[in-house]
Each structure stands twice: as structure tokens, then as C-alpha cells.
Amino acid sequence: MRLLRYEWSKLVCLPALWGVLVLCLVFNCLLIGNGNRWRWEWNEVASVTGGLGQRVDTGFLDGLRQQPQSEYRDYLLSTAEGTADVYADYDLKSLSNFYNSYLKSSPMAAVLMERKYG
């Protein structure tokens, strides 16, 4: 019990801990104080994505085009139309082959890596 009390006292006396806590408190107070500026923007975008879903595909874009005209709808539409599926041409076969050649001495590990990258 004495050791536990000693370790807690070391932690409480650590100035870096109190510095980080003060910085976090100040940062959160600044966010709360300036929150009204973006809260309505966030709510508008959240209401649009809440009705259309969060997956950006053709259905999302079509639904977004049918929404009433607004500044944030246009901004969201221009941003969503500019996105591309980054995993469409992502090939994990070379990575899987690398790990299989590296793990060839352990067949079970090779099977697990192949299943992981499959």
C-alpha cells in the first residue's frame, strides 16, 4: 500500500501532467466559446448526411442534388463529387506475397497472413 501511495504522489507532483490538463482545459474552453460560429454549419451538414447516409456513392450524390439550394449543400456537393474510391485499384497481392515469402518457414502464420490480406 505504501508503494501505491508513493507512485500516486509521484504522478500528482509531475508538472507535465498538470500542464497538459491546463492546456486541454483552455483548448476546450476556446472551442466551447467559439462553438456557435460552426454549430449551425455542422447541424446543416449533419441533417443532410443523416437523411442520405454517410456513404458517398451515386445514391448519395443524387439525393444531395435534390436537396434545397443552400451554400453548404453546394459546398458539400462539390466536395463529394470530387472524391474517388481510394481502394478501387489498391492491390494487396504484392504485400501478401511479401509476407508469405517472409513467413514461409511457418505455414500457419503464412495462412493467417493470406487470410488477412485476402
Side-chain angles (χ1 to χ4, degrees):
M1 194 62 157
R2 193 180 303 175
L3 179 64
L4 183 64
R5 187 177 313 135
Y6 173 70
E7 292 297 329
W8 275 105
S9 68
K10 280 192 334 185
L11 185 64
V12 169
C13 292
L14 191 65
L17 172 72
W18 294 106
V20 167
L21 288 176
V22 167
L23 286 175
C24 289
L25 180 66
V26 168
F27 181 70
N28 282 318
C29 287
L30 287 173
L31 286 178
I32 291 169
N34 293 332
N36 289 336
R37 190 180 62 178
W38 340 300
R39 189 169 295 137
W40 65 274
E41 299 168 4
W42 172 265
N43 287 340
E44 185 171 340
V45 172
S47 68
V48 168
T49 57
L52 299 174
Q54 295 178 354
R55 184 179 189 139
V56 179
D57 54 4
T58 56
F60 179 86
L61 293 173
D62 292 339
L64 192 56
R65 287 183 189 106
Q66 294 172 0
Q67 294 289 321
Q69 181 75 21
S70 74
E71 175 187 351
Y72 291 100
R73 182 203 73 114
D74 295 339
Y75 178 72
L76 186 60
L77 185 61
S78 68
T79 304
E81 285 176 335
T83 60
D85 187 6
V86 294
Y87 298 112
D89 57 350
Y90 190 64
D91 185 24
L92 291 173
K93 193 65 175 166
S94 61
L95 190 59
S96 176
N97 290 339
F98 169 75
Y99 281 120
N100 281 336
S101 67
Y102 186 72
L103 298 170
K104 62 184 167 192
S105 62
S106 175
M108 184 61 180
V111 167
L112 289 173
M113 277 297 167
E114 190 171 330
R115 186 183 316 161
K116 177 182 178 180
Y117 291 112

